[in-house]
Amino acid sequence: LEREIEEEKIICADGGYNLAAGFLERVIRVVGDGDSIKGYEIENPSPTEKDYTDGETAIRLAKSLGFDEASVYGATGGRSDHVYVNLFLLRIARDIGLQAKIITKEGYIIYKDKGEVVLHVKKGDVISVLPYAGSVVVDKSDGLFYPYDNLELTKTNTLGISNVAEKSLVKFEIKSGEALIFVSERALK
C-alpha cells in the first residue's frame, strides 16, 4: 500500500487482502475469484471467467452492505490496464449511489459530473481536472491559481492539469460533461 488505511471497515478485493496485512482485524469481507490472494480461501469466490473485476465486486458489495462512501486503496499500482479500469470504479460507484475516491501515493482521485465541486485541501495542493469521457466544461472557480471561466477541457488538450490551490476551500462548477479530479497533496513531498 502506498498509504495507510484510515477506514474502520475494509472489504478486500482478492489480492488486496495481501496488502491489508497490518489491518486484518478491520477486514469484514474478502471478495473475488481468488487468483491473486495468498494464504486465504475466499468463501463463495467469483467465477474466474467473468465480465467484471474484483474491484467492481467490492464496490457493489460496499453499497449492498449499506455504505454511502468508499475509499479504494491499491488501485494505482500494478498493470497499466488494471490502473485504467480502476478509474472506472469511480463512475460505477456514482451510478449505484456510492461516493468513492481512489487513494493514491500523493493524494486522491474522485469522479464528478454536472454540478458544484467543493474540495477541502491545503494551500499549495495540486489539482488536476481531466475529462472522463468526451469533454468537460468547468466554470466559476474560486481558490485556484488558474481560474476556470467557461473552460472546455478535452482529451486533446492538457489545460486542466496541475492547477494550484490558493485557499483551503476550492470551488468550481462542472457545467457539462464528466471529470476525474486528481488532488496531489504537496505536504506529502
Side-chain angles (χ1 to χ4, degrees):
L1 288 175
E2 297 173 325
R3 294 180 69 175
E4 186 172 321
I5 298 172
E6 297 177 0
E7 288 68 23
E8 292 300 316
K9 295 182 180 180
I10 301 170
I11 298 172
C12 293
D14 205 323
Y17 179 84
N18 305 330
L19 301 175
F23 310 96
L24 295 182
E25 70 282 354
R26 293 190 262 159
V27 173
I28 60 170
R29 292 283 286 276
V30 181
V31 298
D33 56 19
D35 67 345
S36 304
I37 198 166
K38 298 173 186 165
Y40 184 89
E41 190 170 322
I42 297 174
E43 187 178 322
N44 300 317
S46 304
T48 304
E49 293 183 16
K50 59 188 182 301
D51 59 357
Y52 51 89
T53 66
D54 297 331
E56 182 177 344
T57 301
I59 287 289
R60 292 186 182 282
L61 175 62
K63 182 60 180 176
S64 73
L65 292 175
F67 292 97
D68 294 321
E69 297 179 2
S71 296
V72 180
Y73 292 79
T76 57
R79 284 183 14 203
S80 300
D81 57 338
H82 286 203
V83 173
Y84 182 70
V85 79
N86 283 340
L87 294 173
F88 298 157
L89 294 177
L90 297 171
R91 169 69 188 273
I92 292 167
R94 191 289 312 257
D95 288 349
I96 63 172
L98 186 68
Q99 185 177 338
K101 63 182 172 183
I102 292 176
I103 306 299
T104 66
K105 179 180 178 181
E106 65 278 344
Y108 60 91
I109 307 165
I110 58 174
Y111 165 92
K112 292 288 185 180
D113 56 8
K114 192 173 181 180
E116 184 179 42
V117 176
V118 178
L119 301 172
H120 299 276
V121 296
K122 294 182 185 103
K123 187 175 178 179
D125 284 355
V126 176
I127 299 168
S128 296
V129 179
L130 304 174
Y132 177 81
S135 66
V136 62
V137 177
V138 290
D139 196 21
K140 301 178 184 170
S141 64
D142 182 46
L144 291 170
F145 182 78
Y146 300 106
Y148 298 150
D149 183 17
N150 208 35
L151 177 64
E152 182 178 13
L153 305 171
T154 70
K155 291 187 175 186
T156 58
N157 70 41
T158 58
L159 291 173
I161 199 147
S162 299
N163 209 331
V164 179
E166 292 192 314
K167 299 178 181 178
S168 60
L169 184 65
V170 169
K171 295 181 184 182
F172 58 91
E173 178 185 346
I174 295 179
K175 288 178 67 175
S176 65
E178 305 166 275
L180 289 174
I181 301 166
F182 297 73
V183 177
S184 298
E185 301 163 343
R186 289 200 172 227
L188 297 177
K189 285 188 174 186

